[in-house]
Amino acid sequence: MTSATPHLPLRQTLARACRWWLLAPGLAGVMLAQAAPAPAAANPLLTPSPLPLRFPAFDKVRDEHFAPALDRGMAEELAEVEAIAANRAAPSFANTVEALEKSGRLLARTTTLLFNLLAADANPARLQLRTDYAPRLAAQRDAILQNPKLFARIDALYQDRKS
């Protein structure tokens, strides 16, 4: 039993009270439906675009798609980089540099689109995304660039560059 268990009934009671309070005016149901996050399958940012030149389907992308795509993209990139750094095979250009270049595709697609939209069509939601994710993206980049195992692999390639 955790320390939060005794508070669970109170939380449920408060949650129910808030729901009833919100549903009373009639429009709250519409507001809740609009605020509900889109299911992952409906998020066009989570898969590469099938359109020519891989342009995103702008008519399908909504501002609420960005946060889940950024979160998943950051997690995927860190996992891919950790797999490269932990690779037991001797460092080679293919299993280190090329693999690193191919990592983080989802994050790259999502940030490219978000920052281009911010430059061309900023709105409060996108500006808030930038504010929320800028420090997280910087920390992500630092974690990759300062990964000692990854640096050791790249340094080994650099030291052996003549051969």
Side-chain angles (χ1 to χ4, degrees), residues 76-128:
E76 284 179 8
E77 183 181 44
L78 283 179
E80 292 164 351
V81 168
E82 186 53 39
I84 295 165
N87 188 345
R88 293 181 187 261
S92 69
F93 192 82
N95 72 13
T96 304
V97 177
E98 285 179 14
L100 191 58
E101 182 67 25
K102 293 176 183 176
S103 70
R105 295 288 170 105
L106 172 59
L107 184 60
R109 279 195 322 266
T110 305
T111 56
T112 298
L113 179 58
L114 175 61
F115 291 118
N116 276 295
L117 284 174
L118 275 164
D121 186 27
N123 65 30
R126 293 177 190 153
L127 292 169
Q128 188 62 48

Side-chain angles (χ1 to χ4, degrees), residues 45-59:
L45 297 177
L46 296 178
T47 56
S49 173
L51 297 175
L53 302 177
R54 300 269 192 213
F55 287 130
F58 287 103
D59 61 327

